[in-house]
Amino acid sequence: MQYSAFLTPVAIASILVTTLMDRRMGLLVTGVMALLIGVMANSLPVCGVSFLTGAVGVLALSRVDSRNQMIRATLLVGLANLLAVAAFELVDVRPLQEMMEASGWGVFNGLISGWIAVGSLPMFESFFGITTHFKLLDLSNMNEPLLRRLTLEAPGTYQHSMMVANLSEQAARAIGADSLLCRVGAYYHDIGKIKRRRFFIEN
């Protein structure tokens, strides 16, 4: 049946390429894949839904600064899929039951695509040696062993690093730079002081 084609998880590739590379490449991959899937399924709605879902995934998940934003972005991908499928089904004047079934598959596809992409991301990060926003979120966790050592062994340097992190994050937001990268970089910028912590006056 036609609605099963709405299960094609284009958003997985869109999110992964965008997160590992950039938005332009993510949108390019999304467009190419949506076109190919539309041709193979011989369906304009499938092509349109695939591109829209992938594009929403690119825009929603390419920049996240917290885990809650990841969850909201994944839900947004599912919602976009629902609305796109429902719109195309209405244009084709489908029966209500078929429209609801197709919309259900669309929501499922959107949510699963987001979760699979986010879940498989650490594997691609490790394999290609790329530091993404998701990796930066992990590095910003204060339970990271290196940050724990800094807290316990050089508390003065730790407080200094927190102040620099706050300042750099606000400055980055003011000029439109990557605030998460600046914050995490500030956390670790004086990490070498652990080696000779007593040489520095703040400790």
Side-chain angles (χ1 to χ4, degrees):
M1 299 177 66
Q2 182 177 336
Y3 68 77
S4 62
F6 290 127
L7 277 173
T8 309
V10 172
I12 295 178
S14 304
I15 294 168
L16 286 175
V17 171
T18 301
T19 308
L20 294 171
M21 300 180 72
D22 56 39
R23 286 185 179 183
R24 290 183 179 180
M25 186 60 67
L27 287 173
L28 177 62
V29 169
T30 300
V32 172
M33 289 189 64
L35 184 60
L36 290 175
I37 290 169
V39 170
M40 288 189 293
N42 194 26
S43 170
L44 179 61
V46 171
C47 178
V49 170
S50 297
F51 179 77
L52 180 62
T53 305
V56 170
V58 167
L59 298 175
L61 280 166
S62 59
R63 279 291 183 88
V64 290
D65 295 330
S66 69
R67 299 292 179 183
N68 288 335
Q69 287 183 0
M70 290 165 52
I71 296 172
R72 287 196 296 268
T74 302
L75 293 175
L76 185 61
V77 172
L79 178 62
N81 221 16
L82 166 66
L83 295 177
V85 172
F88 277 109
E89 291 293 296
L90 284 173
V91 169
D92 287 344
V93 197
R94 299 283 183 181
L96 180 61
Q97 182 178 356
E98 285 189 20
M99 186 185 75
M100 292 181 65
E101 289 178 353
S103 299
W105 287 118
V107 173
F108 180 75
N109 177 18
L111 295 177
I112 290 298
S113 295
W115 289 333
I116 291 176
V118 172
S120 61
L121 194 56
M123 177 182 65
F124 288 98
E125 287 176 335
S126 299
F127 185 78
F128 292 107
I130 298 174
T131 301
T132 66
H133 265 236
F134 297 95
K135 181 63 175 177
L136 290 175
L137 286 173
D138 293 334
L139 291 172
S140 68
N141 186 349
M142 291 304 159
N143 288 321
E144 278 288 309
L146 206 52
L147 290 179
R148 291 291 296 172
R149 280 191 62 195
L150 184 65
T151 305
L152 298 173
E153 299 178 25
T157 298
Y158 169 77
Q159 292 298 328
H160 161 71
S161 297
M162 294 301 105
M163 292 176 62
V164 173
N166 290 332
L167 289 171
S168 62
E169 182 179 20
Q170 295 302 320
R173 287 179 177 174
I175 64 174
D178 191 336
S179 59
L180 178 61
L181 179 61
C182 291
R183 187 175 77 215
V184 175
Y187 286 164
Y188 291 90
H189 83 281
D190 269 346
I191 205 72
K193 289 183 179 180
I194 296 177
K195 189 75 173 178
R196 296 287 188 271
R197 55 189 176 279
R198 295 182 182 176
F199 286 12
F200 303 95
I201 192 170
E202 67 264 24
N203 295 314

